[in-house]
Each structure stands twice: as C-alpha cells, then as structure tokens.
Amino acid sequence: AQSVSQHNHHVILSEAASLELGCNYSYGGTVNLFWYVQYPGQHLQLLLKYFSGDPLVKGIKGFEAEFIKSKFSFNLRKPSVQWSDTAEYFCAVNDGNAGNMLTFGGGTRLMVKP
Amino acid sequence: SQTIHQWPATLVQPVGSPLSLECTVEGTSNPNLYWYRQAAGRGLQLLFYSVGIGQISSEVPQNLSASRPQDRQFILSSKKLLLSDSGFYLCAWSSGGALNEQFFGPGTRLTVL
C-alpha cells in the first residue's frame, strides 16, 4: 500500500520568509501528485497538481512544487509567505487507480506571523 | 457550477446511538464519491468510495458503512457509535479518472460522548 509522509507537522514563519514543506511517498510506480490546502473555516481545496511533463509545477497564490522522482518527493515551496497563507497543507498521491483514490499525508499546519 | 453539501455541520451523539451523515452533489452526473475521516496530525483517511449507484468500496474495516441510493447522494452510517468514531468527516467528489482533482465538502464534526 502507498504511504505519504509530511515530516513537518507544524511550521511557524514570519511574513516574507521562504517556505518549503516536505512530502515523500512510498509508491514506486507512476504517480499523480497533489497539494491541497485548508484555510481556517474553509473547504479543503486544490493548490496544485502534477501528472506528467515539467516536474516543476506552479499553482495558485504563488505556490510551486517540484517532483523529484529519484527522491520520491514532491515538496511545496513559496518564496515569500504572507499572513493569509496560514492554513493546513496536505500532500496526496494516487497511482492512477480506477477509483481515483487519494492517499493523504498527515498534513502540515503553517502559521505565518504578521 | 458544481457544489457539494454535507449535513449536519456538527453532531454530538451518545455511544451506542445510530449515525447518518449525508452528502449531496449538484451540477454533475455520475461522479465518484468519497468519505474521508480527518484526524488531527493524521491527515485524511479514505473510508469509502463509490463509482456508481449501489457500488461501495470500503478501504478500512470499521464500525461504519456507506450507501449510495442515488447518483449524487452518499450516506455514511453506523448502527452503534463508538467513542473512536469521533472526528471530522469529509465528503468529496471527482469526475472520475486519476487526472481529476477531488472537490471537498465543508465536513461534519462528530463528537461521540
């Protein structure tokens, strides 16, 4: 079975600091990769996704993620965070299964101090 | 546009009581539907998914069951709740295929006392 690890459970940054959240997965075959974000009081929503092609993926709100196949990683980055980026971030993987089932990581709570 | 609804938003139930959580999707047809449980520090755990009416797959053994009586309705149930069933339950839909994102509902906070 697949597993997804997010090693940073809680991250606290000041505004304008750079962000990198780690995500590693265990599946050795072809994978599709996602980052979801849950802002306080809001629905879980998609931040970005990778299926194929350029391993550097750009998403909404200035976020990007890099797929490194040799490291089984899909880390999320943002060069300069804002207070409004305070949220919980989830990495997720599917292996192309027919049901489009996702395996999620444990999540990372990001707090950005103004 | 598509929307997904869940109710109730919050629920407090005694141990041993039954449970019924409802999820409905509007604006799409024949969606894949999913129930997840979100526990603090443990991310989202897939409980059930459905690719069509009456088709339910369970991902983990548990005290819960799911049903899909209509194309855009997904119900999570239990005959007798346990304390360990407390959590935040999320419903999601996708239009099928591994390349499609899942869209999540607002969730139901269940507390079993």
Side-chain angles (χ1 to χ4, degrees):
Chain A
Q2 298 178 36
S3 65
V4 180
S5 299
Q6 292 181 242
H7 303 293
N8 312 104
H9 299 295
H10 292 90
V11 174
I12 302 174
L13 295 172
S14 298
E15 277 194 314
S18 64
L19 170 71
E20 181 160 3
L21 301 182
C23 172
N24 288 91
Y25 61 92
S26 64
Y27 186 67
T30 300
V31 291
N32 302 308
L33 299 153
F34 305 79
W35 275 98
Y36 281 83
V37 60
Q38 190 170 31
Y39 297 103
Q42 296 188 27
H43 298 200
L44 201 65
Q45 58 186 281
L46 184 70
L47 204 53
L48 49 79
K49 58 187 177 183
Y50 170 81
F51 297 141
S52 63
D54 188 344
L56 185 61
V57 179
K58 296 193 182 299
I60 60 172
K61 303 187 180 185
F63 285 90
E64 64 179 31
E66 185 175 13
F67 170 51
I68 303 180
K69 189 174 182 179
S70 61
K71 295 185 177 180
F72 298 88
S73 70
F74 190 54
N75 292 355
L76 181 70
R77 299 194 293 248
K78 186 170 183 178
S80 176
V81 295
Q82 301 173 315
W83 175 79
S84 57
D85 293 324
T86 294
E88 190 161 16
Y89 294 81
F90 295 93
C91 182
V93 173
N94 79 29
D95 60 1
N97 61 82
N100 191 21
M101 294 174 287
L102 292 174
T103 301
F104 280 85
T108 298
R109 285 190 182 273
L110 171 66
M111 179 184 292
V112 180
K113 297 184 293 185
Chain B
S1 64
Q2 302 88 0
T3 54
I4 178 168
H5 305 278
Q6 285 186 247
W7 63 89
T10 60
L11 189 60
V12 180
Q13 291 284 96
V15 169
S17 64
L19 173 74
S20 182
L21 303 182
E22 190 163 343
C23 170
T24 58
V25 181
E26 296 177 356
T28 187
S29 59
N30 197 30
N32 287 357
L33 296 171
Y34 310 85
W35 278 112
Y36 291 89
R37 177 164 53 207
Q38 185 178 8
R42 282 190 266 173
L44 280 75
Q45 181 185 35
L46 179 65
L47 303 176
F48 301 95
Y49 75 95
S50 170
V51 297
I53 295 174
Q55 300 178 61
I56 309 294
S57 295
S58 173
E59 287 300 294
V60 293
Q62 59 204 311
N63 186 43
L64 302 169
S65 62
S67 61
R68 184 170 177 175
Q70 300 180 46
D71 181 45
R72 289 169 289 176
Q73 184 184 30
F74 205 25
I75 297 172
L76 185 69
S77 304
S78 173
K79 292 181 180 177
K80 289 186 178 181
L81 283 168
L82 305 172
L83 286 175
S84 58
D85 292 324
S86 293
F88 191 56
Y89 290 84
L90 285 167
C91 181
W93 75 272
S94 75
S95 54
L99 305 186
N100 295 317
E101 70 179 277
Q102 292 185 17
F103 297 90
F104 287 82
T108 294
R109 173 75 60 191
L110 172 65
T111 303
V112 182
L113 302 176

